[in-house]
Structure formats: structure tokens, C-alpha cells
Short mmCIF file of all heavy atoms in Angstrom, two decimals:
data_model
loop_
_atom_site.label_atom_id
_atom_site.label_comp_id
_atom_site.label_asym_id
_atom_site.label_seq_id
_atom_site.Cartn_x
_atom_site.Cartn_y
_atom_site.Cartn_z
N MET N 1 5.83 21.63 34.62
CA MET N 1 5.08 21.49 33.40
C MET N 1 3.62 21.87 33.69
O MET N 1 3.03 21.38 34.64
CB MET N 1 5.19 20.04 32.91
CG MET N 1 4.56 19.81 31.59
SD MET N 1 4.66 18.11 30.93
CE MET N 1 6.29 17.57 31.31
N ASN N 2 3.05 22.71 32.84
CA ASN N 2 1.68 23.13 33.08
C ASN N 2 0.68 22.09 32.54
O ASN N 2 1.05 21.17 31.80
CB ASN N 2 1.43 24.52 32.50
CG ASN N 2 1.47 24.56 30.99
OD1 ASN N 2 1.07 23.61 30.33
ND2 ASN N 2 1.95 25.65 30.44
N THR N 3 -0.56 22.25 32.88
CA THR N 3 -1.60 21.28 32.53
C THR N 3 -1.79 21.15 31.03
O THR N 3 -1.96 20.04 30.53
CB THR N 3 -2.93 21.65 33.21
OG1 THR N 3 -2.72 21.71 34.62
CG2 THR N 3 -4.01 20.63 32.92
N GLU N 4 -1.76 22.25 30.31
CA GLU N 4 -1.95 22.19 28.86
C GLU N 4 -0.84 21.39 28.20
O GLU N 4 -1.09 20.62 27.26
CB GLU N 4 -2.04 23.60 28.26
CG GLU N 4 -3.34 24.30 28.58
CD GLU N 4 -4.58 23.52 28.16
OE1 GLU N 4 -4.68 23.10 26.99
OE2 GLU N 4 -5.46 23.32 29.02
N THR N 5 0.38 21.54 28.67
CA THR N 5 1.50 20.77 28.14
C THR N 5 1.31 19.28 28.43
O THR N 5 1.54 18.43 27.56
CB THR N 5 2.83 21.26 28.72
OG1 THR N 5 2.99 22.64 28.40
CG2 THR N 5 4.01 20.47 28.18
N LYS N 6 0.87 18.96 29.62
CA LYS N 6 0.62 17.56 29.99
C LYS N 6 -0.48 16.97 29.11
O LYS N 6 -0.38 15.83 28.65
CB LYS N 6 0.22 17.45 31.46
CG LYS N 6 1.37 17.71 32.41
CD LYS N 6 0.88 17.61 33.84
CE LYS N 6 1.99 17.94 34.82
NZ LYS N 6 1.53 17.88 36.21
N LYS N 7 -1.53 17.73 28.88
CA LYS N 7 -2.63 17.26 28.03
C LYS N 7 -2.14 17.03 26.60
O LYS N 7 -2.51 16.02 25.98
CB LYS N 7 -3.78 18.26 28.03
CG LYS N 7 -4.56 18.29 29.32
CD LYS N 7 -5.69 19.29 29.24
CE LYS N 7 -6.50 19.33 30.51
NZ LYS N 7 -7.63 20.28 30.42
N THR N 8 -1.34 17.94 26.10
CA THR N 8 -0.82 17.81 24.75
C THR N 8 0.06 16.57 24.62
O THR N 8 -0.04 15.83 23.64
CB THR N 8 -0.03 19.07 24.35
OG1 THR N 8 -0.91 20.20 24.44
CG2 THR N 8 0.53 18.97 22.94
N GLU N 9 0.90 16.33 25.60
CA GLU N 9 1.74 15.13 25.59
C GLU N 9 0.88 13.87 25.66
O GLU N 9 1.19 12.87 25.00
CB GLU N 9 2.74 15.17 26.73
CG GLU N 9 3.85 16.16 26.51
CD GLU N 9 4.87 16.20 27.64
OE1 GLU N 9 4.65 15.54 28.69
OE2 GLU N 9 5.88 16.88 27.47
N PHE N 10 -0.17 13.90 26.46
CA PHE N 10 -1.06 12.75 26.57
C PHE N 10 -1.74 12.46 25.24
O PHE N 10 -1.80 11.31 24.80
CB PHE N 10 -2.10 13.02 27.66
CG PHE N 10 -3.17 11.99 27.75
CD1 PHE N 10 -2.89 10.72 28.24
CD2 PHE N 10 -4.48 12.27 27.37
CE1 PHE N 10 -3.88 9.75 28.33
CE2 PHE N 10 -5.47 11.31 27.47
CZ PHE N 10 -5.17 10.05 27.94
N VAL N 11 -2.24 13.49 24.58
CA VAL N 11 -2.90 13.31 23.29
C VAL N 11 -1.90 12.76 22.27
O VAL N 11 -2.23 11.84 21.51
CB VAL N 11 -3.55 14.62 22.80
CG1 VAL N 11 -4.03 14.50 21.36
CG2 VAL N 11 -4.70 15.01 23.71
N SER N 12 -0.70 13.28 22.27
CA SER N 12 0.34 12.79 21.37
C SER N 12 0.62 11.32 21.61
O SER N 12 0.73 10.52 20.67
CB SER N 12 1.61 13.62 21.55
OG SER N 12 2.64 13.13 20.73
N PHE N 13 0.73 10.94 22.89
CA PHE N 13 0.94 9.55 23.25
C PHE N 13 -0.21 8.68 22.74
O PHE N 13 0.01 7.61 22.17
CB PHE N 13 1.07 9.42 24.78
CG PHE N 13 1.00 8.02 25.29
CD1 PHE N 13 2.09 7.18 25.20
CD2 PHE N 13 -0.17 7.54 25.87
CE1 PHE N 13 2.02 5.87 25.67
CE2 PHE N 13 -0.24 6.25 26.34
CZ PHE N 13 0.85 5.41 26.24
N CYS N 14 -1.43 9.15 22.93
CA CYS N 14 -2.60 8.39 22.48
C CYS N 14 -2.60 8.19 20.97
O CYS N 14 -2.91 7.10 20.48
CB CYS N 14 -3.89 9.09 22.91
SG CYS N 14 -4.19 9.03 24.69
N ILE N 15 -2.25 9.23 20.25
CA ILE N 15 -2.20 9.14 18.79
C ILE N 15 -1.16 8.10 18.37
O ILE N 15 -1.44 7.24 17.53
CB ILE N 15 -1.89 10.51 18.16
CG1 ILE N 15 -3.09 11.44 18.32
CG2 ILE N 15 -1.50 10.36 16.69
CD1 ILE N 15 -2.82 12.89 17.97
N GLU N 16 0.01 8.16 18.96
CA GLU N 16 1.07 7.21 18.59
C GLU N 16 0.70 5.78 18.97
O GLU N 16 0.94 4.84 18.19
CB GLU N 16 2.39 7.62 19.23
CG GLU N 16 3.00 8.86 18.61
CD GLU N 16 3.26 8.72 17.11
OE1 GLU N 16 3.69 7.64 16.66
OE2 GLU N 16 3.02 9.70 16.39
N MET N 17 0.11 5.58 20.12
CA MET N 17 -0.27 4.23 20.54
C MET N 17 -1.43 3.70 19.68
O MET N 17 -1.45 2.53 19.31
CB MET N 17 -0.63 4.20 22.02
CG MET N 17 0.56 4.48 22.93
SD MET N 17 1.97 3.37 22.67
CE MET N 17 1.29 1.83 23.25
N TYR N 18 -2.36 4.56 19.34
CA TYR N 18 -3.46 4.17 18.45
C TYR N 18 -2.91 3.79 17.08
O TYR N 18 -3.33 2.78 16.50
CB TYR N 18 -4.47 5.32 18.34
CG TYR N 18 -5.68 4.99 17.53
CD1 TYR N 18 -6.81 4.43 18.13
CD2 TYR N 18 -5.74 5.26 16.17
CE1 TYR N 18 -7.94 4.14 17.38
CE2 TYR N 18 -6.86 4.97 15.41
CZ TYR N 18 -7.96 4.41 16.02
OH TYR N 18 -9.08 4.12 15.28
N ALA N 19 -1.97 4.58 16.59
CA ALA N 19 -1.36 4.29 15.29
C ALA N 19 -0.65 2.94 15.33
O ALA N 19 -0.79 2.13 14.39
CB ALA N 19 -0.37 5.40 14.92
N LYS N 20 0.09 2.69 16.37
CA LYS N 20 0.81 1.42 16.51
C LYS N 20 -0.17 0.26 16.56
O LYS N 20 0.02 -0.75 15.88
CB LYS N 20 1.68 1.45 17.77
CG LYS N 20 2.49 0.21 17.97
CD LYS N 20 3.36 0.33 19.20
CE LYS N 20 4.16 -0.95 19.41
NZ LYS N 20 5.00 -0.85 20.62
N GLN N 21 -1.20 0.39 17.36
CA GLN N 21 -2.20 -0.67 17.53
C GLN N 21 -2.90 -0.97 16.21
O GLN N 21 -3.21 -2.13 15.92
CB GLN N 21 -3.23 -0.24 18.58
CG GLN N 21 -4.33 -1.24 18.82
CD GLN N 21 -3.87 -2.44 19.63
OE1 GLN N 21 -2.89 -2.36 20.36
NE2 GLN N 21 -4.56 -3.54 19.49
N ASN N 22 -3.17 0.07 15.42
CA ASN N 22 -3.92 -0.09 14.17
C ASN N 22 -3.04 -0.16 12.94
O ASN N 22 -3.54 -0.15 11.82
CB ASN N 22 -4.95 1.03 14.06
CG ASN N 22 -6.04 0.85 15.08
OD1 ASN N 22 -6.90 0.00 14.93
ND2 ASN N 22 -5.98 1.62 16.16
N LYS N 23 -1.72 -0.19 13.15
CA LYS N 23 -0.75 -0.33 12.07
C LYS N 23 -0.93 0.73 10.97
O LYS N 23 -0.98 0.42 9.79
CB LYS N 23 -0.80 -1.74 11.49
CG LYS N 23 -0.40 -2.80 12.51
CD LYS N 23 -0.50 -4.18 11.93
CE LYS N 23 -0.06 -5.28 12.85
NZ LYS N 23 -0.53 -5.35 14.17
N VAL N 24 -1.04 1.99 11.43
CA VAL N 24 -1.10 3.14 10.52
C VAL N 24 -0.03 4.13 10.96
O VAL N 24 0.53 4.02 12.04
CB VAL N 24 -2.49 3.81 10.51
CG1 VAL N 24 -3.56 2.83 10.03
CG2 VAL N 24 -2.86 4.36 11.87
N SER N 25 0.25 5.10 10.12
CA SER N 25 1.24 6.11 10.49
C SER N 25 0.69 7.04 11.56
O SER N 25 -0.54 7.17 11.71
CB SER N 25 1.64 6.93 9.26
OG SER N 25 0.56 7.77 8.86
N GLY N 26 1.59 7.67 12.28
CA GLY N 26 1.18 8.66 13.26
C GLY N 26 0.42 9.79 12.62
O GLY N 26 -0.56 10.30 13.18
N ALA N 27 0.84 10.19 11.43
CA ALA N 27 0.17 11.27 10.70
C ALA N 27 -1.26 10.87 10.34
O ALA N 27 -2.19 11.68 10.47
CB ALA N 27 0.95 11.65 9.46
N ALA N 28 -1.45 9.64 9.90
CA ALA N 28 -2.79 9.16 9.54
C ALA N 28 -3.69 9.11 10.78
O ALA N 28 -4.85 9.51 10.73
CB ALA N 28 -2.72 7.80 8.87
N ALA N 29 -3.13 8.62 11.89
CA ALA N 29 -3.90 8.56 13.13
C ALA N 29 -4.27 9.96 13.60
O ALA N 29 -5.40 10.20 14.03
CB ALA N 29 -3.13 7.81 14.20
N ALA N 30 -3.32 10.90 13.53
CA ALA N 30 -3.58 12.27 13.96
C ALA N 30 -4.69 12.90 13.12
O ALA N 30 -5.57 13.58 13.66
CB ALA N 30 -2.31 13.10 13.87
N LYS N 31 -4.66 12.65 11.82
CA LYS N 31 -5.70 13.19 10.93
C LYS N 31 -7.06 12.60 11.31
O LYS N 31 -8.06 13.31 11.38
CB LYS N 31 -5.37 12.87 9.48
CG LYS N 31 -6.32 13.46 8.49
CD LYS N 31 -5.88 13.20 7.07
CE LYS N 31 -6.87 13.82 6.09
NZ LYS N 31 -6.45 13.58 4.70
N TRP N 32 -7.10 11.30 11.57
CA TRP N 32 -8.33 10.63 11.97
C TRP N 32 -8.86 11.19 13.29
O TRP N 32 -10.04 11.43 13.44
CB TRP N 32 -8.10 9.13 12.06
CG TRP N 32 -9.31 8.34 12.38
CD1 TRP N 32 -9.54 7.65 13.52
CD2 TRP N 32 -10.48 8.19 11.58
NE1 TRP N 32 -10.79 7.06 13.48
CE2 TRP N 32 -11.39 7.38 12.29
CE3 TRP N 32 -10.86 8.66 10.33
CZ2 TRP N 32 -12.63 7.03 11.79
CZ3 TRP N 32 -12.11 8.30 9.84
CH2 TRP N 32 -12.96 7.50 10.56
N PHE N 33 -7.95 11.39 14.25
CA PHE N 33 -8.34 11.95 15.55
C PHE N 33 -8.91 13.35 15.37
O PHE N 33 -9.90 13.70 16.01
CB PHE N 33 -7.14 12.01 16.49
CG PHE N 33 -6.89 10.74 17.27
CD1 PHE N 33 -6.97 9.49 16.69
CD2 PHE N 33 -6.53 10.81 18.59
CE1 PHE N 33 -6.73 8.34 17.41
CE2 PHE N 33 -6.28 9.68 19.34
CZ PHE N 33 -6.39 8.43 18.74
N GLU N 34 -8.30 14.14 14.52
CA GLU N 34 -8.78 15.51 14.30
C GLU N 34 -10.16 15.50 13.65
O GLU N 34 -11.07 16.21 14.08
CB GLU N 34 -7.79 16.28 13.43
CG GLU N 34 -8.17 17.73 13.25
CD GLU N 34 -7.15 18.51 12.46
OE1 GLU N 34 -6.05 18.00 12.21
OE2 GLU N 34 -7.47 19.65 12.10
N GLN N 35 -10.32 14.68 12.62
CA GLN N 35 -11.59 14.62 11.89
C GLN N 35 -12.73 14.09 12.76
O GLN N 35 -13.87 14.53 12.62
CB GLN N 35 -11.45 13.76 10.64
CG GLN N 35 -10.59 14.38 9.58
CD GLN N 35 -10.33 13.45 8.40
OE1 GLN N 35 -10.52 12.24 8.49
NE2 GLN N 35 -9.86 14.01 7.30
N SER N 36 -12.43 13.15 13.63
CA SER N 36 -13.48 12.53 14.45
C SER N 36 -13.80 13.33 15.71
O SER N 36 -14.81 13.07 16.37
CB SER N 36 -13.05 11.12 14.86
OG SER N 36 -11.98 11.17 15.78
N GLY N 37 -12.92 14.26 16.07
CA GLY N 37 -13.11 15.01 17.30
C GLY N 37 -12.46 14.34 18.51
O GLY N 37 -12.63 14.79 19.64
N ALA N 38 -11.71 13.26 18.26
CA ALA N 38 -11.07 12.53 19.36
C ALA N 38 -10.05 13.38 20.11
O ALA N 38 -9.88 13.21 21.32
CB ALA N 38 -10.41 11.25 18.84
N ILE N 39 -9.40 14.31 19.42
CA ILE N 39 -8.43 15.18 20.10
C ILE N 39 -9.16 16.00 21.17
O ILE N 39 -8.71 16.09 22.31
CB ILE N 39 -7.68 16.07 19.10
CG1 ILE N 39 -6.73 15.20 18.27
CG2 ILE N 39 -6.90 17.18 19.83
CD1 ILE N 39 -6.01 15.93 17.15
N ASN N 40 -10.27 16.60 20.80
CA ASN N 40 -11.04 17.39 21.77
C ASN N 40 -11.57 16.52 22.90
O ASN N 40 -11.57 16.93 24.06
CB ASN N 40 -12.20 18.11 21.07
CG ASN N 40 -11.72 19.19 20.12
OD1 ASN N 40 -10.65 19.75 20.29
ND2 ASN N 40 -12.51 19.47 19.12
N TYR N 41 -11.99 15.30 22.56
CA TYR N 41 -12.47 14.35 23.56
C TYR N 41 -11.37 14.04 24.58
O TYR N 41 -11.61 14.04 25.78
CB TYR N 41 -12.95 13.07 22.87
CG TYR N 41 -13.14 11.91 23.80
CD1 TYR N 41 -14.27 11.83 24.61
CD2 TYR N 41 -12.21 10.88 23.88
CE1 TYR N 41 -14.46 10.76 25.48
CE2 TYR N 41 -12.38 9.81 24.74
CZ TYR N 41 -13.51 9.75 25.53
OH TYR N 41 -13.68 8.70 26.39
N LEU N 42 -10.15 13.80 24.08
CA LEU N 42 -9.04 13.47 24.97
C LEU N 42 -8.66 14.66 25.85
O LEU N 42 -8.37 14.49 27.04
CB LEU N 42 -7.84 12.98 24.17
CG LEU N 42 -8.05 11.62 23.50
CD1 LEU N 42 -6.92 11.34 22.50
CD2 LEU N 42 -8.16 10.51 24.53
N PHE N 43 -8.63 15.85 25.28
CA PHE N 43 -8.35 17.04 26.09
C PHE N 43 -9.41 17.22 27.18
O PHE N 43 -9.08 17.46 28.34
CB PHE N 43 -8.30 18.30 25.22
CG PHE N 43 -6.92 18.67 24.76
CD1 PHE N 43 -6.48 18.28 23.50
CD2 PHE N 43 -6.07 19.40 25.56
CE1 PHE N 43 -5.21 18.62 23.07
CE2 PHE N 43 -4.79 19.73 25.14
CZ PHE N 43 -4.36 19.34 23.89
N ALA N 44 -10.68 17.07 26.80
CA ALA N 44 -11.78 17.29 27.74
C ALA N 44 -11.82 16.23 28.84
O ALA N 44 -12.26 16.51 29.95
CB ALA N 44 -13.11 17.31 26.99
N ASN N 45 -11.35 15.03 28.54
CA ASN N 45 -11.42 13.93 29.49
C ASN N 45 -10.07 13.51 30.02
O ASN N 45 -9.92 12.41 30.57
CB ASN N 45 -12.14 12.74 28.84
CG ASN N 45 -13.58 13.06 28.57
OD1 ASN N 45 -14.39 13.07 29.48
ND2 ASN N 45 -13.89 13.39 27.32
N TYR N 46 -9.11 14.39 29.92
CA TYR N 46 -7.74 14.11 30.37
C TYR N 46 -7.70 13.62 31.80
O TYR N 46 -7.06 12.61 32.10
CB TYR N 46 -6.86 15.35 30.19
CG TYR N 46 -5.52 15.23 30.86
CD1 TYR N 46 -4.50 14.52 30.27
CD2 TYR N 46 -5.27 15.85 32.09
CE1 TYR N 46 -3.25 14.40 30.89
CE2 TYR N 46 -4.04 15.74 32.71
CZ TYR N 46 -3.04 15.02 32.10
OH TYR N 46 -1.82 14.90 32.71
N GLU N 47 -8.36 14.32 32.70
CA GLU N 47 -8.29 13.98 34.13
C GLU N 47 -8.73 12.54 34.39
O GLU N 47 -8.12 11.84 35.19
CB GLU N 47 -9.11 14.96 34.96
CG GLU N 47 -8.55 16.36 35.00
CD GLU N 47 -7.14 16.45 35.57
OE1 GLU N 47 -6.79 15.67 36.47
OE2 GLU N 47 -6.38 17.31 35.10
N ALA N 48 -9.78 12.12 33.72
CA ALA N 48 -10.29 10.76 33.94
C ALA N 48 -9.46 9.70 33.22
O ALA N 48 -9.31 8.59 33.71
CB ALA N 48 -11.73 10.68 33.46
N LEU N 49 -8.92 10.05 32.06
CA LEU N 49 -8.25 9.05 31.24
C LEU N 49 -6.76 8.87 31.52
O LEU N 49 -6.25 7.75 31.40
CB LEU N 49 -8.43 9.39 29.75
CG LEU N 49 -9.84 9.27 29.20
CD1 LEU N 49 -9.90 9.80 27.78
CD2 LEU N 49 -10.30 7.82 29.25
N HIS N 50 -6.06 9.92 31.87
CA HIS N 50 -4.59 9.81 31.92
C HIS N 50 -4.08 8.88 33.01
O HIS N 50 -2.94 8.45 32.97
CB HIS N 50 -3.94 11.19 32.04
CG HIS N 50 -3.82 11.73 33.43
ND1 HIS N 50 -4.89 12.26 34.09
CD2 HIS N 50 -2.77 11.80 34.26
CE1 HIS N 50 -4.49 12.65 35.29
NE2 HIS N 50 -3.21 12.38 35.42
N THR N 51 -4.92 8.52 33.96
CA THR N 51 -4.50 7.61 35.02
C THR N 51 -4.85 6.15 34.72
O THR N 51 -4.53 5.27 35.50
CB THR N 51 -5.17 8.00 36.36
OG1 THR N 51 -6.59 7.91 36.21
CG2 THR N 51 -4.77 9.41 36.78
N GLN N 52 -5.50 5.93 33.59
CA GLN N 52 -5.94 4.58 33.23
C GLN N 52 -4.87 3.85 32.43
O GLN N 52 -3.96 4.45 31.88
CB GLN N 52 -7.24 4.65 32.41
CG GLN N 52 -8.37 5.35 33.10
CD GLN N 52 -8.76 4.68 34.41
OE1 GLN N 52 -8.87 3.46 34.49
NE2 GLN N 52 -8.95 5.48 35.45
N GLY N 53 -5.04 2.56 32.31
CA GLY N 53 -4.14 1.75 31.51
C GLY N 53 -4.41 1.93 30.02
O GLY N 53 -5.49 2.39 29.63
N TRP N 54 -3.42 1.54 29.22
CA TRP N 54 -3.53 1.74 27.78
C TRP N 54 -4.75 1.03 27.19
O TRP N 54 -5.45 1.57 26.33
CB TRP N 54 -2.26 1.30 27.06
CG TRP N 54 -2.47 1.28 25.58
CD1 TRP N 54 -2.37 0.21 24.76
CD2 TRP N 54 -2.88 2.37 24.76
NE1 TRP N 54 -2.69 0.57 23.48
CE2 TRP N 54 -3.02 1.90 23.46
CE3 TRP N 54 -3.19 3.72 25.01
CZ2 TRP N 54 -3.41 2.71 22.40
CZ3 TRP N 54 -3.58 4.52 23.95
CH2 TRP N 54 -3.68 4.02 22.66
N ASN N 55 -5.06 -0.18 27.62
CA ASN N 55 -6.21 -0.91 27.07
C ASN N 55 -7.50 -0.14 27.31
O ASN N 55 -8.36 -0.07 26.43
CB ASN N 55 -6.30 -2.31 27.66
CG ASN N 55 -5.20 -3.21 27.16
OD1 ASN N 55 -4.69 -3.04 26.07
ND2 ASN N 55 -4.82 -4.17 27.97
N TYR N 56 -7.66 0.43 28.48
CA TYR N 56 -8.84 1.21 28.81
C TYR N 56 -8.92 2.46 27.93
O TYR N 56 -9.97 2.79 27.38
CB TYR N 56 -8.83 1.61 30.28
CG TYR N 56 -10.05 2.39 30.72
CD1 TYR N 56 -11.15 1.73 31.23
CD2 TYR N 56 -10.08 3.78 30.60
CE1 TYR N 56 -12.28 2.44 31.63
CE2 TYR N 56 -11.20 4.49 30.98
CZ TYR N 56 -12.29 3.82 31.50
OH TYR N 56 -13.41 4.53 31.87
N ILE N 57 -7.79 3.14 27.78
CA ILE N 57 -7.75 4.37 26.98
C ILE N 57 -8.08 4.05 25.53
O ILE N 57 -8.88 4.75 24.89
CB ILE N 57 -6.38 5.08 27.11
CG1 ILE N 57 -6.16 5.54 28.55
CG2 ILE N 57 -6.29 6.25 26.14
CD1 ILE N 57 -4.74 5.99 28.84
N LEU N 58 -7.47 3.00 24.99
CA LEU N 58 -7.74 2.62 23.60
C LEU N 58 -9.21 2.30 23.40
O LEU N 58 -9.82 2.74 22.43
CB LEU N 58 -6.87 1.43 23.20
CG LEU N 58 -7.08 0.92 21.77
CD1 LEU N 58 -6.79 2.02 20.75
CD2 LEU N 58 -6.23 -0.29 21.51
N ALA N 59 -9.79 1.56 24.32
CA ALA N 59 -11.22 1.23 24.22
C ALA N 59 -12.07 2.49 24.26
O ALA N 59 -13.05 2.62 23.51
CB ALA N 59 -11.62 0.26 25.33
N ALA N 60 -11.73 3.43 25.13
CA ALA N 60 -12.48 4.68 25.22
C ALA N 60 -12.39 5.47 23.92
O ALA N 60 -13.40 6.02 23.45
CB ALA N 60 -11.96 5.53 26.38
N ILE N 61 -11.21 5.51 23.32
CA ILE N 61 -11.03 6.21 22.04
C ILE N 61 -11.86 5.53 20.96
O ILE N 61 -12.57 6.19 20.19
CB ILE N 61 -9.54 6.26 21.65
CG1 ILE N 61 -8.77 7.14 22.62
CG2 ILE N 61 -9.38 6.75 20.21
CD1 ILE N 61 -7.26 7.02 22.51
N GLU N 62 -11.76 4.21 20.87
CA GLU N 62 -12.50 3.48 19.85
C GLU N 62 -14.01 3.64 20.03
O GLU N 62 -14.74 3.80 19.05
CB GLU N 62 -12.09 2.02 19.86
CG GLU N 62 -10.68 1.83 19.32
CD GLU N 62 -10.16 0.41 19.42
OE1 GLU N 62 -10.79 -0.43 20.12
OE2 GLU N 62 -9.14 0.14 18.78
N ASN N 63 -14.49 3.62 21.28
CA ASN N 63 -15.92 3.83 21.54
C ASN N 63 -16.35 5.23 21.14
O ASN N 63 -17.42 5.42 20.56
CB ASN N 63 -16.24 3.59 23.01
CG ASN N 63 -16.17 2.13 23.39
OD1 ASN N 63 -16.30 1.25 22.55
ND2 ASN N 63 -15.96 1.87 24.67
N PHE N 64 -15.50 6.22 21.44
CA PHE N 64 -15.82 7.60 21.06
C PHE N 64 -15.91 7.73 19.55
O PHE N 64 -16.88 8.29 19.02
CB PHE N 64 -14.76 8.58 21.60
CG PHE N 64 -14.96 9.97 21.09
CD1 PHE N 64 -15.90 10.79 21.69
CD2 PHE N 64 -14.26 10.43 20.00
CE1 PHE N 64 -16.12 12.07 21.20
CE2 PHE N 64 -14.47 11.71 19.52
CZ PHE N 64 -15.40 12.54 20.11
N ILE N 65 -14.91 7.21 18.84
CA ILE N 65 -14.90 7.32 17.36
C ILE N 65 -16.10 6.59 16.77
O ILE N 65 -16.76 7.12 15.86
CB ILE N 65 -13.57 6.80 16.79
CG1 ILE N 65 -12.44 7.77 17.18
CG2 ILE N 65 -13.65 6.63 15.29
CD1 ILE N 65 -11.04 7.28 16.84
N ALA N 66 -16.43 5.42 17.28
CA ALA N 66 -17.59 4.67 16.76
C ALA N 66 -18.88 5.45 16.98
O ALA N 66 -19.73 5.50 16.10
CB ALA N 66 -17.66 3.30 17.45
N ALA N 67 -19.01 6.07 18.14
CA ALA N 67 -20.21 6.87 18.42
C ALA N 67 -20.30 8.08 17.49
O ALA N 67 -21.40 8.43 17.02
CB ALA N 67 -20.21 7.32 19.88
N GLU N 68 -19.17 8.69 17.22
CA GLU N 68 -19.15 9.86 16.32
C GLU N 68 -19.51 9.45 14.90
O GLU N 68 -20.16 10.22 14.18
CB GLU N 68 -17.79 10.54 16.36
CG GLU N 68 -17.52 11.27 17.64
CD GLU N 68 -18.52 12.37 17.93
OE1 GLU N 68 -18.72 13.25 17.07
OE2 GLU N 68 -19.14 12.32 19.01
N GLU N 69 -19.09 8.27 14.47
CA GLU N 69 -19.39 7.81 13.12
C GLU N 69 -20.89 7.57 12.93
O GLU N 69 -21.39 7.66 11.83
CB GLU N 69 -18.61 6.53 12.80
CG GLU N 69 -17.14 6.78 12.60
CD GLU N 69 -16.35 5.50 12.37
OE1 GLU N 69 -16.86 4.40 12.70
OE2 GLU N 69 -15.23 5.60 11.85
N LYS N 70 -21.59 7.23 14.02
CA LYS N 70 -23.02 6.96 13.94
C LYS N 70 -23.85 8.23 13.85
O LYS N 70 -25.03 8.17 13.51
CB LYS N 70 -23.47 6.14 15.16
CG LYS N 70 -22.95 4.74 15.13
CD LYS N 70 -23.43 3.95 16.32
CE LYS N 70 -22.85 2.55 16.31
NZ LYS N 70 -23.30 1.77 17.46
N LYS N 71 -23.25 9.37 14.17
CA LYS N 71 -24.00 10.63 14.13
C LYS N 71 -24.28 11.07 12.71
O LYS N 71 -23.65 10.82 11.79
CB LYS N 71 -23.21 11.74 14.86
CG LYS N 71 -23.22 11.53 16.34
CD LYS N 71 -22.51 12.68 17.02
CE LYS N 71 -22.55 12.50 18.53
NZ LYS N 71 -21.85 13.58 19.19
#
């Protein structure tokens, strides 16, 4: 499996776990990730994030989205 495929699977996993945590649909979470730039953030930070636990990843996503909302 190449790196881009791994990154795509990781982003998909993050979207689904975020959706589950926030009790929204996967489609709604994906739209939110796209609008906020979280998808690009996850791709760019894959190496640092994919080895972390879910709680750490979720916190990083939430911090990123909150920072983007303040802009």
C-alpha cells in the first residue's frame, strides 16, 4: 500500500471517529472537515498523528478546527 492510500484511509478513519464522537453522520463530518481545512491538516500531519492514540488525534482535530474558526 502506498503512502497516499494510507493517508486517505487515515483521514477516512478520523472522519468516522469524529462523527461517532460528535453524534453526526459521516457525511456531515466529512463536509465539516473539508470546509475547515481539517482534511488538508490531517494529510499534512499524517506522519506525526497516525501513531498517536484516538484521544490525542481527536484533540488535535478539535484544536485545529477551533483555531480555524477564529481566523
Side-chain angles (χ1 to χ4, degrees):
M1 185 179 319
N2 68 34
T3 303
E4 288 304 308
T5 301
K6 289 179 183 179
K7 288 180 179 182
T8 301
E9 287 181 352
F10 173 71
V11 171
S12 177
F13 168 78
C14 290
I15 290 169
E16 289 301 321
M17 293 305 292
Y18 184 89
K20 182 178 179 180
Q21 179 75 23
N22 291 284
K23 297 178 177 49
V24 298
S25 70
K31 184 176 180 180
W32 183 247
F33 274 43
E34 184 176 350
Q35 291 174 342
S36 69
I39 290 174
N40 292 334
Y41 166 77
L42 291 169
F43 266 97
N45 293 284
Y46 169 79
E47 292 300 327
L49 292 173
H50 85 283
T51 60
Q52 302 300 316
W54 170 241
N55 290 332
Y56 182 92
I57 296 168
L58 179 60
I61 293 167
E62 289 175 347
N63 289 337
F64 173 81
I65 291 172
E68 288 300 305
E69 288 177 342
K70 290 181 182 180
K71 288 183 178 179

